[in-house]
Amino acid sequence: MKKTLTNEIKCSFLSLSQNESLARGIISSFLLPLDPDIEELADLRCAVSEAVTNCIVHAYAGTVGTITLSARAYSDRTVKISVADKGCGIDDVAKARQPLYTTLPDEDRCGMGFSIMESFSDRLTVTSRTGKGTKVTMTRKLSSPTT
Amino acid sequence: MENLILDFSGDTLTAVLMGDMDHHGVAGVRTQIDDAMFRLMPKILCIELSGVEFMDSSGLGLILGRYQKASDLGIEVMLSNPSPRTERLIVMTGIDKMIKIKKKEA
Ligand SMILES: Nc1ncnc2c1ncn2[C@@H]1O[C@H](COP(=O)(O)OP(=O)(O)O)[C@@H](O)[C@H]1O
Ligand SMILES: [Mg+2]
């Protein structure tokens, strides 16, 4: 059976910290009609929050830029969520993804953002170019709804 | 919206966290807890987590940061009543190996 796209959204907002909860609200509204498990919903809300926070505190540190959140749902219950910025970019993605690695230890960052995104999704891809921006994409297959 | 209540009784400073402990939510909370620790010099800082509705790594950073400040001041830290989800993040980060978690019946 070929998998087909069943829904898609794309929205942009400024890198203001109050938009972290906005992003969680948007992703909840997108996921709820797909009948996710409570834990799956909570996992993906948390993963999106991490990605959006990184755009605010790292990509656009000290400035305000645009964050783009997009999500796609497929017929096989896979969802693909991307968060993209046009900020500073990451020099060494492999290093940045290591647990407890942070470039902002003085601001109470704990370096667990990527680890959380990784464990709350089936697959996490990070593409980044220094000075151009970063895009993280999280893929997760939702379990079949129990009736 | 207020997402912190501070209570000092005996030798314990209790910081009751409420609502969203994301990067937005922890911003004001951090300095309020630190100020109270410096001012009151309690023996114990208890961080009450039952009212937390959402937490991500910014909330974990808040806990770790307070633990470091408190340790410098000789103050013992404990965490109280995390939800199963909050506890999962705490365990993922290894915070449970450093800070005692106390659970009581609601
Ligand atoms: N969108 C981004 N733009 C630029 N740098 C980023 C971005 N996301 C993450 N980083 C870099 O990767 C590091 C690790 O990120 P993360 O695991 O979320 O930990 P933390 O946010 O606590 O530092 C950050 O400290 C930062 O240097
Ligand atoms: Mg982060």
Side-chain angles (χ1 to χ4, degrees):
Chain A
M1 205 168 59
K2 215 174 145 251
K3 89 172 179 187
T4 53
L5 186 67
T6 55
N7 195 10
E8 179 171 16
I9 59 162
K10 187 169 188 166
C11 49
S12 296
F13 45 87
L14 291 183
S15 61
L16 305 172
S17 65
Q18 68 258 38
N19 288 337
E20 293 157 7
S21 66
L22 175 101
R24 294 196 296 274
I26 292 170
I27 213 62
S28 298
S29 302
F30 177 81
L31 292 169
L32 274 171
L34 305 172
D35 206 358
D37 174 271
I38 296 175
E39 292 299 316
E40 289 167 344
L41 180 65
D43 286 356
L44 291 170
R45 278 166 57 88
C46 191
V48 164
S49 198
E50 293 295 348
V52 169
T53 300
N54 279 351
C55 301
I56 297 167
V57 303
H58 302 298
Y60 297 122
T63 62
V64 176
T66 303
I67 300 172
T68 302
L69 168 67
S70 41
R72 288 173 169 207
Y74 295 92
S75 52
D76 67 350
R77 298 189 61 73
T78 307
V79 291
K80 210 169 179 170
I81 302 170
S82 297
V83 176
D85 65 68
K86 291 185 159 46
C88 67
I90 304 172
D91 292 333
D92 186 342
V93 171
K95 196 170 172 188
R97 288 178 67 151
Q98 281 168 15
L100 305 177
Y101 177 83
T102 180
T103 46
L104 285 180
D106 299 338
E107 290 180 29
D108 280 349
R109 306 304 319 162
C110 63
M112 288 300 287
F114 279 131
S115 304
I116 288 174
M117 287 183 251
E118 240 163 50
S119 50
F120 288 170
S121 60
D122 297 331
R123 197 171 76 233
L124 171 72
T125 57
V126 182
T127 51
S128 190
R129 278 177 66 195
T130 307
K132 295 275 187 216
T134 302
K135 182 177 185 177
V136 304
T137 302
M138 297 168 278
T139 311
R140 173 124 178 206
K141 189 165 181 170
L142 302 178
S143 58
S144 302
T146 45
T147 36
Chain B
M1 202 175 60
E2 199 51 84
N3 48 9
L4 172 72
I5 296 173
L6 288 167
D7 174 73
F8 184 50
S9 60
D11 46 17
T12 302
L13 172 66
T14 304
V16 182
L17 303 184
M18 287 168 299
D20 290 347
M21 286 297 124
D22 56 7
H23 157 251
H24 183 69
V26 302
V29 166
R30 176 178 24 231
T31 45
Q32 286 186 63
I33 298 176
D34 288 352
D35 288 350
M37 275 201 292
F38 282 118
R39 196 157 39 84
L40 302 164
M41 287 304 284
K43 247 168 100 177
I44 298 166
L45 169 67
C46 174
I47 304 177
E48 169 63 48
L49 296 165
S50 58
V52 172
E53 283 154 28
F54 174 82
M55 181 176 287
D56 61 16
S57 72
S58 300
L60 298 172
L62 175 82
I63 293 172
L64 281 169
R66 304 300 62 66
Y67 174 72
Q68 265 149 26
K69 281 250 160 65
S71 301
D72 291 346
L73 296 168
I75 299 168
E76 187 192 333
V77 179
M78 54 172 88
L79 302 176
S80 163
N81 302 314
S83 70
R85 276 210 72 86
T86 301
E87 190 167 1
R88 189 171 158 202
L89 290 177
I90 287 172
V91 171
M92 254 171 81
T93 318
I95 294 179
D96 58 315
K97 297 199 184 76
M98 305 155 66
I99 311 178
K100 195 160 88 188
I101 303 174
K102 183 178 76 171
K103 284 177 223 170
K104 58 169 185 268
E105 265 57 64

